[in-house]
Amino acid sequence: MLLALILGPLTSLVPRAAAQGSMAMSFFSDGDFTPTLSRSDLDVFVRVLKLKDAEIAAMNDLYEGYSETIRREARHIREVVFDAIEESESYSDPGKLDPAQEALTKWREQAEVLKRTFIDDLKSLLTREQEERWPIVERELRRMKNMGGRLTGEGLDVVRLVSDLKLNPPPPGVEDALEVYSQELDRLLIQRNAFIDQNSPRFEELIKSDPQAAEIMFRDATRIRASIRDLNLRTIAAISAMLPPDAQRRLQDAINQQVNRRVEVKSRAEGQLNEARKLDDLTPDQVAQLDELEQWYTARVDPWKLRVLDALRESEETDLPTALRQALGREPPPREGDHNAQWRLPPDHPLLKLRLERLEVDREMRRKLGNILTLGQREDLPPGRDAYAVFNDFTPGTL
């Protein structure tokens, strides 16, 4: 479960009368009004089915007809929904949203029929050899739809990461490695989704009625998720070794963008170093000192990020939902009136020690930066970060 608490200036907190309140209802997303199959899905068809130019053109014509029908019909449904929203607000009656909900339900069914029709029309154009490869298309679409998860690295789509490198042609061994990966990943995704679909309805009840059984169920789910994460990491390591240095770097950068969400911190020090480089009155000697300071900082922060990732993966395999820990007697309920309990890490949590280490590195970097700049330059330096505090709770909420 990912929760974020953002505290703004206290002047923005306006008291509200006890009997007053407001409610917001949302029952659709932008995805309800766009084609379920995207242009990225078409790329899968081209790659897996090895479509030729004439076949690609025919597929694009079919897709244009499919997507135009979706857009045309969706405009009508969107009007129905927004008309209902305005009417329900005017009458102050949420019940007047019911017709819009019914229209949306029917529209989703219709959109699914349109998608199946497009696929059937496309399959009718395929050769026998291409049709035999259709299960691979379904496997690839299943991967694209189901990647994600609560463990760090579980959602790394290695096929897409490598595809985004635009290697033409890919180095020897890469395509074979991706095929082996795709087959094993598909098996694990099906296993994970089946386990979660089968057990999620019972999990919340087991927390109350049989917390020991709930713990076994949760750890079984974590093991399946960890097997996906480990497969991703093994495959990335194997494929990275086959790539030229520039592609290795770009692959790692893409991975970092996905997994560092729980590693990155709101670093005042890093922000102020970037701002210092923008000062227009720096001397050549100061520029050289800033370069040295950046190297000093990077040499400490990069290994720190790797240690945090290791600690995260270790803690993710042992973490339990708060309600389950409390039901097992491993965590006391929060003290009455303690509204900040969920944001605190336990004193012995490995991430707490690592975060405090980073705080000291950042403070030391800011001290070094201050010694490089003049008093006037220090006064001109922006704060380096936003003026609000962010607290994240990554405690798992369910299977």
Side-chain angles (χ1 to χ4, degrees), residues 48-49 126-135:
V48 174
L49 300 174
L126 301 181
T127 65
R128 176 174 297 179
E129 291 76 13
Q130 289 169 334
E131 193 167 354
E132 289 174 352
R133 294 181 65 81
W134 189 259

Side-chain angles (χ1 to χ4, degrees), residues 55 70 76 225 274 368:
E55 295 168 328
I70 292 287
H76 168 70
R225 291 181 178 278
N274 292 334
K368 290 177 178 291

Side-chain angles (χ1 to χ4, degrees), residues 267-269 271-272 275 366 381-386:
S267 172
R268 239 178 111 197
Q272 287 195 322
E275 293 295 339
R366 288 177 52 232
L381 203 62
R385 59 157 295 166
D386 299 319

Side-chain angles (χ1 to χ4, degrees), residues 40 43 47 158-171 174 243-244 246-247 250-251:
S40 296
D43 293 339
R47 174 171 56 84
V158 182
V159 175
R160 173 158 289 186
L161 286 168
V162 174
S163 176
D164 288 345
L165 295 176
K166 307 296 184 186
L167 303 171
N168 190 23
V174 170
L243 302 178
D246 176 66
R250 290 188 289 125
L251 176 62

Side-chain angles (χ1 to χ4, degrees), residues 264-265 267-275 297 301 305 358 362 365-366 384:
E264 295 294 345
V265 299
S267 172
R268 239 178 111 197
E270 193 169 358
Q272 287 195 322
L273 177 60
N274 292 334
E275 293 295 339
Y297 186 66
V301 170
K305 289 181 179 179
R358 174 66 183 270
D362 278 13
M365 203 272 265
R366 288 177 52 232

